[in-house]
Every structure is written in C-alpha cells, then in structure tokens.
Amino acid sequence: MFRTPGRLYRVLAIAEAITWTILIAAIIARAVGAPGVVVTVGGGIHGFVFLAYAATAVLVALNQRWHPGVGVLAVASAVIPYATIPMEIWLHRSGRLRGDWRLDPTDHPRDRRWYDRLMRWFLRRPWVLAVLLVVGIVALYVILLLIGPPGGK
C-alpha cells in the first residue's frame, strides 16, 4: 500500500486534515449542547493522527533527503488546520516526494551516515518499523494524556 514515501505522506496528510474536521465538528457540537466527551474523543483521535503524521513527515524527510527546514515545516504544517494538504501539494509539485524508499546505499555522501544505515535497515523490515512507530506513538500519546490537554483543564 505504501510502496513510495510520497504515497505514505499523502495518506497521513489527508488523515491529519480529516481529524481536524472531526475535532472542529466536536467543538461546534459541544458549543450547541453536546456533552463535552465529544471533544475528548475528537481531540484524542486528532492527537493520535497528529503524532503519526509527524513521525511520517520525519521518516519521509530523512528518506527524501529534505533540507531540515523543509522537514520542520512539514511537521509544523499539522498545527494549522488543513495545512497538511497544501504542504503535500507543494512537496509533490516541487519533486520532494518523488522516488522510492532508499533501501540500498548509493554513492551519495549522505548515505554513509549512521542514521541512514539505520533507516535502510528498518525500511527493509517494514513490519519492525511499523511496530516500532506504533509503540513509540502510543507511548508518547499516553504520556501526553497523563500530562493533560493543552491549556489545562
């Protein structure tokens, strides 16, 4: 399903935008009388997908050898409602999402870095990478839940 970095990034960018819709709809529903739990559920879904999108943006940025500023901008785009969609369009049009997963080393100097070797190792074992990412995202999500919502209660 995610044979290319561009495809994975697109799916998560769209999912992140969809969860903004869920969260905004929940806030509106609460404002017109729905129980506050709708925001808790909508916020929880959005928060989890936000973390998954951020992890995906970092992975794709490393694979595609983006300038660090582009990677930071990709992650930061999730903070603004629906901004991941124009970000994905820009990355696609500028060719930053072109290409396949870098499973094999090349002559490029950046392929000799330790984290590139580690990334290739994980990309050759997608189930290990997926499990690691899910466990990491769930752990971070639980920690953030324990800390509490943004702005306090």
Side-chain angles (χ1 to χ4, degrees):
M1 180 174 182
F2 303 120
R3 297 193 188 275
T4 66
R7 180 74 177 151
L8 176 62
Y9 185 86
R10 173 173 281 177
V11 167
L12 266 294
I14 291 168
E16 210 282 331
I18 289 169
T19 64
W20 267 114
T21 303
I22 292 169
L23 179 58
I24 292 168
I27 291 169
I28 292 169
R30 182 182 65 188
V32 296
V37 72
V38 297
V39 175
T40 303
V41 172
I45 294 168
H46 174 69
F48 187 83
V49 174
F50 170 85
L51 293 174
Y53 168 81
T56 298
V58 170
L59 177 64
V60 171
L62 288 171
N63 186 78
Q64 300 300 98
R65 296 189 186 115
W66 292 347
H67 183 277
V70 175
V72 168
L73 186 60
V75 172
S77 71
V79 175
I80 301 165
Y82 306 107
T84 57
I85 301 296
M87 183 71 190
E88 190 277 334
I89 291 169
W90 175 71
L91 290 168
H92 177 75
R93 288 184 180 168
S94 64
R96 288 179 170 91
L97 293 175
R98 192 175 303 132
D100 293 321
W101 293 108
R102 290 189 300 118
L103 301 176
D104 299 310
T106 65
D107 292 335
H108 196 283
R110 287 191 276 182
D111 272 350
R112 295 186 195 107
R113 296 178 182 163
W114 68 269
Y115 53 85
D116 282 308
R117 288 190 298 272
L118 183 63
M119 180 187 69
R120 282 192 303 272
W121 186 90
F122 277 113
L123 288 174
R124 282 189 225 108
R125 296 155 183 87
W127 287 108
V128 175
L129 177 60
V131 168
L132 179 69
L133 286 174
V134 167
V135 168
I137 291 166
V138 167
L140 182 56
Y141 184 75
V142 168
I143 290 168
L144 291 172
L145 281 177
L146 293 173
I147 292 172
K153 290 191 177 195

